[in-house]
Amino acid sequence: ARVAERAAASAAQVNERLLSIQQIADTTAAALTGRPLSVESQVRGALLSSLRPHPWMNGIWVAFDDSAPRPANMPQVAGLRRGGALPEVVSANASNLDALLWFTRAKEWNKGAWTEAAEIEQKPNALPSAIYASPFYSGDKFAGVVATSVGLDSLQHLKDEPFANRRPRRADERNDEPPASPITPVPTSKPIALNAGGYFIIDTQGNLISHPEDLTEDGFLMHISSLPEDPFIDAVRKAIEGNAQRLVTHHMSSFVPGYHEDEIYIVAMQPVAATRWVLVTAVLQSEILGGVQDQLLKRAAMLAMTMGMLMIIVLVVAKRFCKPIEKLASRVEAISSGNLDLPPIPVGTRDEIGRLATGFNRMTEQLRHQFAAIEKQTADREKVESELRIARQIQIDLLPRTFPPFPERNEFDLHATNVPARAIGGDFFDFFFVDPDKLVLVIADVSGKGIPAALVMAVTRTIVRNLAIEGLSPLQIVQRTNRRLVADSTTGMFVTMILAEYQPSTGRLIYVNAGHPAVIRYGVDEPSFCCHSSGPLLGIGTAEDLGPTEQHEITLEIGEGLIFYTDGVTEARSPDSELFGDDRLLDVSGVARSGTCEIACDAIVSRVMEYQRNQNADDLTLLLLRRL
């Protein structure tokens, strides 16, 4: 905060100087507007009276536009610039004023404007300057500009007063007005003056235009666009945008000359209101915190002595009581390394230490028994997990896993996937040709999960395959499958299934839906549901009566496709227990219209798994078919 106050005070002084230069140009331009001076000596007298009381101003001059009237014998450019003991006369007929940015900017903007040093072609071996130009008029027509110049080196010489006693002056305050409410000085043995440590100024384009040391030949030591990213450079950019900045950095010497390498600086950046330049001041952290650090070191030394004495007292007292604890600690260390075969600790007292030793012996014995039990449980669990891995592999082997499954057939695209909720699951899919133009498609969901569902799944798949190879219709296959499941099962488990017979040559699809979720049909139109359930669940009821079951038929046009799925898709739940539902499935199914079945399948699975945060409570199976 102290360094920021110093930066604000410095910026206020710089702003006052720049505002005074602006005021001179604006006042002179206002005087020339409507009533131009008729004698050249009058112009020079006015300019000389403006130049004398402002030692930081390099010069002032009037530049007339080519088409503007001017007094007799008045050159196109007339004025004074500071040189030696006396002002030097500026008098010239410029060949092309419109090529000078300070002239054209004031002309085009119709108001006073600063032209920064980086925008001006500086004379060789001359210190950089900035120019403020204010337009004046003859009637309503532009007549010329009054320009004032400030040497950037002069901005390094401010009134050297302690910053803690100075309030930054507003732009509308007079220079001779005392501060309305001085800043309360921060208690310190050595107040830091405005010029202590130096400061530098950066223009709106990121150029370093004023520095306590000599500038380089071109006058610019730094341009932030060419420097690497760093908190210091980032703060400069924000300050150029008009925001005061504070930071602590040890990279000052990397960007600005004259600062000690590897030293830590407290840096404050304050925009200059008149020009939007940025005044940057930096003070060694050790200068600010030196007194504080001395006090801290003294107090730390006293605290260390006190703590040392306390530690000696504690050690003397603790040594008497800690020997039994040390014995227990050594046993704890041995147990933590896995050594439970230790003899009991001898118990010689009945106090708290004795009771602790007795409890420790009992705990050690219990740990020995528990570790033995855990080892046996771990071995049993590993055996079960091994069997589950084998069962999962067998289940994977039962499902088609080569894609594309029929690369020689180009009449259709086919892809499927299965994501079990546990190591093994009850969902399954299958597809196979029973003759060259008859492709059988099956997707089913066995109630429950785990090994029981997987066993019923394997039995159901085998029955369906055997019946399909006999050449039976989808309705006959479903009916006979149900009879066998009812006859062979006493567990009460059931199966939902869609069994379809597809002809690639015609796109004809005959299907039976036994209690399974509807199918999504997609193509030219938006995705919609079709192939709704036309029969009851399989595996319940009696072997003779499946219930009313119907066989239906649809025809896929070229480009149309079907998405078969199990209820693990629509019943997927978010962390808030909200179902994925049919509407979300229809929305995500739109991806199938523009890609392959494999891409669409992966996209749908990814969306569902993301919705339930990869915690699927039910098996998830998809099968996609598209006529090409």
Side-chain angles (χ1 to χ4, degrees), residues 360-375:
F360 187 83
N361 291 334
R362 189 181 303 116
M363 179 193 69
T364 304
E365 184 64 23
Q366 291 175 352
L367 283 175
R368 188 180 297 112
H369 291 300
Q370 289 178 3
F371 272 114
I374 290 173
E375 288 178 358

Side-chain angles (χ1 to χ4, degrees), residues 118-135:
E119 302 173 315
I120 302 171
E121 184 178 353
Q122 305 288 345
K123 293 182 179 181
N125 301 321
L127 292 172
S129 300
I131 297 175
Y132 178 82
S134 182

Side-chain angles (χ1 to χ4, degrees), residues 596-614:
T596 65
C597 288
E598 180 179 4
I599 293 174
C601 189
D602 292 342
I604 295 173
V605 170
S606 176
R607 180 66 181 87
V608 174
M609 294 300 290
E610 179 184 353
Y611 182 79
Q612 58 188 353
R613 301 295 191 271
N614 292 320

Side-chain angles (χ1 to χ4, degrees), residues 560-600:
E560 284 192 312
L562 299 175
I563 301 176
F564 301 83
Y565 58 93
T566 59
D567 58 5
V569 176
T570 54
E571 293 180 5
R573 291 182 181 271
S574 69
D576 298 330
S577 297
E578 183 179 356
L579 293 177
F580 190 76
D582 294 338
D583 293 339
R584 288 189 178 88
L585 181 57
L586 280 177
D587 290 341
V588 74
S589 296
V591 301
R593 300 168 60 189
S594 58
T596 65
C597 288
E598 180 179 4
I599 293 174

Side-chain angles (χ1 to χ4, degrees), residues 8 82 96 117 163 316 348 369-370 388 419 422 429 463 535 596 618:
R82 195 177 303 282
N96 186 11
F163 73 87
V316 171
H369 291 300
Q370 289 178 3
L388 287 175
V419 182
R422 299 183 182 176
F429 62 87
I463 295 173
T596 65
D618 196 3

Side-chain angles (χ1 to χ4, degrees), residues 95-252:
S95 58
N96 186 11
L97 283 174
D98 287 336
L100 300 176
L101 184 59
W102 55 267
F103 185 85
T104 57
R105 181 170 289 173
K107 177 180 179 180
E108 293 172 359
W109 293 1
N110 290 324
K111 65 179 182 179
W114 279 96
T115 303
E116 298 177 346
E119 302 173 315
I120 302 171
E121 184 178 353
Q122 305 288 345
K123 293 182 179 181
N125 301 321
L127 292 172
S129 300
I131 297 175
Y132 178 82
S134 182
F136 63 89
Y137 302 87
S138 176
D140 294 333
K141 187 177 180 182
F142 174 78
V145 302
V146 176
T148 54
S149 172
V150 57
L152 299 182
D153 62 316
S154 66
L155 299 180
Q156 282 296 326
H157 307 290
L158 304 178
K159 292 177 64 178
D160 194 11
E161 57 188 52
F163 73 87
N165 296 320
R166 178 178 177 82
R167 175 179 59 85
R169 183 176 287 112
R170 299 193 307 271
D172 58 349
E173 289 180 344
R174 294 179 53 186
N175 293 345
D176 55 354
E177 290 181 351
S181 56
I183 296 174
T184 302
V186 178
T188 175
S189 59
K190 184 181 179 182
I192 302 176
L194 286 171
N195 293 309
Y199 57 88
F200 53 92
I201 301 175
I202 300 174
D203 67 13
T204 59
Q205 301 180 34
N207 296 306
L208 186 61
I209 59 175
S210 179
H211 189 274
E213 299 182 358
D214 293 335
L215 299 178
T216 56
E217 293 182 0
D218 59 2
F220 309 111
L221 293 169
M222 177 183 70
H223 194 287
I224 60 171
S225 64
S226 63
L227 296 175
E229 290 299 322
D230 184 84
F232 175 80
I233 300 301
D234 183 56
V236 170
R237 292 193 177 98
K238 293 178 181 178
I240 290 175
E241 295 173 358
N243 303 311
Q245 300 292 312
R246 306 179 187 182
L247 75 154
V248 178
T249 179
H250 59 274
H251 292 161
M252 285 293 294

